[in-house]
Amino acid sequence: MRFRNFLFAAFLLTACSSNGVDTDLLEHNWDAILAEYRTDGVSVYYNETARVNLALAEKGLLAEKAFAYTQAGSGGIVPEWAQDYQSGALLAEIYYSMGHIAMAQRMAFETMVLCKGSRDEYMMKILVKTNLIYGAHEVAEKYLKLLKDKEFVHKYSSFVHNDEAVSADPELGLKRRCIPTRDFLSTARGLDEDLKDIIKANPEHRNTIQYLGIMYLLDNEIDNFCELMDRFYGTPAMPELPSAFAQAACMISELRPSYWKQLGVDRSVFREYENFLGRLQNGLNMDRYKDTYWYYLMKIGN
């Protein structure tokens, strides 16, 4: 095990003390998370990969830059909950980023319970936001009274019993519109079906479709990816195709002729795919393609 991974594994076992909190994650230091991530092809843990994918999503770059980082399948998007604080906090942040407010709230609450009597500021902040989003103002107010962060309390107290302000807020309003008319709590039908409902409810929440599309590509679920593109490309949910999806469209064109044209991929991207195939067939160095979906498939296929 690499030394850095050993430290990370030990770090995951830490309880709720301030010394064990992943401050880059919980204080949303996305640039720091990206800067510290290894991109040299070494093996990584799901939680590490999920952190970097979350950072990319929050910067609006998930479907542009995901394959510039070492990936680990869809488990590196939504890792399993290890019944510990760190993985629970990570999942709460991921679900919130996806626009899956119900699961974000559930994970924040269950993670806070793990603190066994201590008051966890980070998870309570998510609970304040999600309860405001749902219009549960009394519950949000209860958590605000327990928080020590005066700046946060001052800001979010202004939303209590003020639904108009919640709906008008750039963050809370955008997340509120992600709640489908057919509400759900768990991922009983499958996370992908939940995310499709969120996309339909709020096509402006671009993180949702980027997460779902990348999950399909990471697991090479091409039929599901094509169904997603056929359904949402050219709609407000996806008016333009991000880089990773364009690369996938080029590859899929071998099975569905001219699919890249159907999705409006620039001809220069398709030429790069042809160059990639040529170099692959001739056993040439492929390093120039290390940040592409094509290279990712080549590596997992070996």
Side-chain angles (χ1 to χ4, degrees), residues 7 17 82 87 176 211 235 238 247 270 280:
L7 290 178
S17 66
S87 62
R176 172 174 277 188
Y211 261 115
T235 72
M238 183 168 288
Q247 291 164 10
F270 188 73
L280 180 62

Side-chain angles (χ1 to χ4, degrees), residues 37-100:
Y37 192 71
R38 296 287 296 278
T39 59
D40 55 3
V42 295
S43 60
V44 291
Y45 284 107
Y46 286 147
N47 291 58
E48 290 181 281
T49 310
R51 286 174 82 246
V52 81
N53 286 328
L54 170 62
L56 288 171
E58 287 302 290
K59 290 174 68 67
L61 296 173
L62 181 60
E64 292 288 342
K65 299 291 187 180
F67 295 102
Y69 297 82
T70 305
Q71 292 294 334
S74 60
I77 295 287
V78 185
E80 292 186 8
W81 184 31
Q83 303 289 321
D84 62 17
Y85 179 85
Q86 295 299 341
S87 62
L90 175 59
L91 284 167
E93 293 282 358
I94 290 169
Y95 283 123
Y96 190 78
S97 179
M98 286 181 167
H100 201 322

